[in-house]
Amino acid sequence: MLFEKLAHHRRRIIAVVCGQVLSALGTLVGVRLLTEFVSPAVFGQYKLLLAAISLATGILIRPVIQFVMREYHDAVRDDLRDQFCVIARKFFHLYMVGVSMMIALLLYGVYFHSFRSTFLVVIIAVALLLLQASVEYERALFTTRNKQTGAAAVNVAAKWGVPLAIVGAIFMFHESVHIMLLATMGVLLCIRGALIFTETISRDTVAVRKTHNTIDRGKLVREAFRYSRPLMVVGIFSWIVNEGDRYFLNYYQTQDAVGIYSAAYGLVSAPFTLVVGTLAQFLYPIVFQACSSEDPARHRRVIAEMLKVTITVCVLGLVAVALFGDTIARIGLGEEYRAEAAGIMVWVAAGYGFLAVAMTFDMAAYGHKRTSVMVYAYGTAAIFNIIFDLLLIPELSILGAAIATTIAFAVYLFVMASFYYLSCKKEIL
């Protein structure tokens, strides 16, 4: 049923596949360039700052974006989608400005009097957070509206533009975290500027002006808060599982270890992101439509077929990394990174495999607005991750971090799958 539905959208499928292929290539080229021209220590600092931005994104931004993606399909049933898009965009931008100001004021009070250089980095990071959130929101809106060419273009521009800009900036100036952050900001600013002039925004605005506004904004905000609350907690636990090990490595080992570990993850993630990201980008609207139709048999068929595809892809990816890990490291990483990174690639691939399969159950939870189950799943995984990070990283360094993260992803998959199948029996999901 799923693949029959996809057959009617060949152009969109081509756009998604081409976009994901170009994005994956951009990731691979980016990792190779950065590991060639950036030392592991500086690369580690950069990744630690991006991990901090990721924490704020997971707690404050991504839950709201997920709400907009899901709620859009309920608005379609009432023929209010154009109005909804414009109102939701304005709400999100106001929300992001408020969040950024609060974070900047908080960090101003903490850092200004003692660490002026650190405060400068923090201010750059807050500005980067604002830009990244705005770009991510527009890409998500393209995805949920099935405008896959736009979503692919945004993703490709970021994947290729950021590493090229960083390397160019390093050649023009010097190697530093400040330069890397400013180069990243420059690329995102260009993407955001291009999005302002897209036809989608103009069409939505015209449509709203020609119709009466019948959407209750107060109700929309209340619904967003209700939907997002559990996802904010998920953001904390998810960050611990996905990014927290960088800080354990930084504490117990060195920033060089953080850089090598991050480079290995970036390299191995590319093929998994290519396939699973392609499925996710195109299937988000299909899954949400199936869930919105209130037909349990329909959405269960969609989830079952997605599960078969993700398991097959992840098994093949793990086998490929196990067989050709040394070759992948030699081609994809700079000389300073290769030897240590090659030793953890199988564990990284296994972890990404578990996470990719779990994505199927994530989409079911998002679609049915049962995001509270993700709190339990990520909470359990975070506990396991912290325990094994503390046990393994002091002795095994990046190998210990990779093993701990793989265990945490396996736990997350087990808990999400258990919730889903138990809920199906009770006709909750």
Side-chain angles (χ1 to χ4, degrees):
M1 186 272 294
L2 173 61
F3 297 106
E4 291 177 0
K5 188 176 182 65
L6 292 180
H8 297 293
H9 302 280
R10 292 179 183 175
R11 290 184 180 179
R12 289 172 180 165
I13 292 175
I14 292 172
V16 171
V17 171
C18 290
Q20 288 295 336
V21 168
L22 290 172
S23 296
L25 288 174
T27 299
L28 294 173
V29 171
V31 171
R32 187 66 177 86
L33 286 173
L34 293 177
T35 56
E36 186 69 33
F37 296 104
V38 181
S39 66
V42 174
F43 190 59
Q45 293 176 42
Y46 176 70
K47 284 297 183 179
L48 286 172
L49 283 167
L50 291 188
I53 294 172
S54 177
L55 175 60
T57 300
I59 297 173
L60 300 171
I61 299 166
R62 200 160 288 124
V64 178
I65 291 177
Q66 287 291 345
F67 167 76
V68 173
M69 292 180 72
R70 176 63 183 88
E71 193 67 16
Y72 171 82
H73 293 282
D74 284 344
V76 168
R77 293 188 303 174
D78 297 325
D79 196 28
L80 300 173
R81 60 181 181 272
D82 291 329
Q83 296 178 41
F84 173 80
C85 287
V86 173
I87 293 171
R89 183 180 285 112
K90 290 179 179 178
F91 163 73
F92 182 77
H93 288 162
L94 288 173
Y95 170 76
M96 275 309 306
V97 169
V99 166
S100 299
M101 289 179 64
M102 286 189 294
I103 293 175
L105 288 172
L106 175 64
L107 295 173
Y108 179 87
V110 172
Y111 288 109
F112 182 72
H113 293 292
S114 52
F115 303 109
R116 291 177 183 268
S117 63
T118 303
F119 179 70
L120 176 61
V121 174
V122 168
I123 289 300
I124 295 173
V126 171
L128 184 59
L129 168 66
L130 183 61
L131 276 171
Q132 183 176 295
S134 182
V135 171
E136 186 173 341
Y137 174 84
E138 296 297 337
R139 186 182 68 82
L141 195 59
F142 277 130
T143 298
T144 202
R145 301 183 71 185
N146 242 335
K147 295 181 179 296
Q148 304 299 345
T149 302
V154 172
N155 205 32
V156 170
K159 293 294 184 182
W160 281 90
V162 169
L164 291 174
I166 288 175
V167 172
I170 288 174
F171 273 115
M172 291 175 62
F173 302 100
H174 57 88
E175 182 188 74
S176 74
V177 176
H178 296 77
I179 294 299
M180 295 176 73
L181 289 174
L182 288 171
T184 305
M185 280 183 58
V187 173
L188 293 179
L189 190 62
C190 290
I191 295 173
R192 187 66 191 95
L195 286 170
I196 292 175
F197 300 101
T198 59
E199 291 181 316
T200 303
I201 295 176
S202 300
R203 265 201 310 272
D204 291 345
T205 304
V206 172
V208 171
R209 288 173 180 171
K210 290 182 178 180
T211 59
H212 295 290
N213 189 351
T214 57
I215 293 179
D216 186 339
R217 300 189 183 197
K219 181 181 178 181
L220 185 66
V221 172
R222 290 191 296 271
E223 282 291 314
F225 180 70
R226 184 189 65 80
Y227 184 88
S228 301
R229 265 186 311 179
L231 289 181
M232 291 178 177
V233 181
V234 168
I236 298 173
F237 292 145
S238 172
W239 181 85
I240 293 173
V241 174
N242 288 280
E243 307 279 358
D245 47 10
R246 274 78 166 167
Y247 287 88
F248 283 104
L249 276 172
N250 188 52
Y251 180 79
Y252 286 110
Q253 302 294 327
T254 63
Q255 288 182 343
D256 293 68
V258 177
I260 294 169
Y261 181 72
S262 300
Y265 259 86
L267 180 64
V268 176
S269 69
F272 290 93
T273 302
L274 168 62
V275 180
V276 179
T278 300
L279 288 173
Q281 184 177 332
F282 192 80
L283 294 179
Y284 255 120
I286 293 176
V287 172
F288 287 169
Q289 288 167 9
C291 295
S292 186
S293 69
E294 299 180 357
D295 181 357
R298 179 185 173 192
H299 74 73
R300 286 176 190 171
R301 286 195 298 271
V302 172
I303 295 299
E305 292 179 35
M306 284 178 58
L307 196 58
K308 293 176 185 177
V309 174
T310 53
I311 290 174
T312 301
V313 167
C314 292
V315 169
L316 292 175
L318 178 58
V319 171
V321 172
L323 293 175
F324 306 108
D326 290 338
T327 303
I328 293 171
R330 187 168 60 254
I331 295 173
L333 296 173
E335 188 174 352
E336 290 184 82
Y337 296 76
R338 291 172 192 163
E340 289 188 69
I344 68 170
M345 283 189 172
V346 172
W347 287 101
V348 174
Y352 259 96
F354 290 133
L355 185 63
V357 174
M359 179 208 70
T360 302
F361 302 111
D362 290 356
M363 294 179 73
Y366 286 131
H368 286 278
K369 300 183 181 181
R370 299 285 300 180
T371 50
S372 58
V373 302
M374 298 176 69
V375 175
Y376 301 107
Y378 263 121
T380 306
I383 292 171
F384 274 83
N385 193 297
I386 291 172
I387 291 172
F388 282 99
D389 277 341
L390 292 172
L391 291 174
L392 300 177
I393 287 178
E395 296 296 328
L396 300 178
S397 188
I398 64 172
L399 177 60
I403 294 171
T405 302
T406 300
I407 293 171
F409 285 150
V411 169
Y412 178 72
L413 170 59
F414 174 78
V415 176
M416 285 299 294
S418 300
F419 266 113
Y420 177 78
Y421 288 114
L422 288 173
S423 298
C424 283
K425 290 182 179 180
K426 297 178 182 179
E427 295 187 354
I428 296 176
L429 282 179

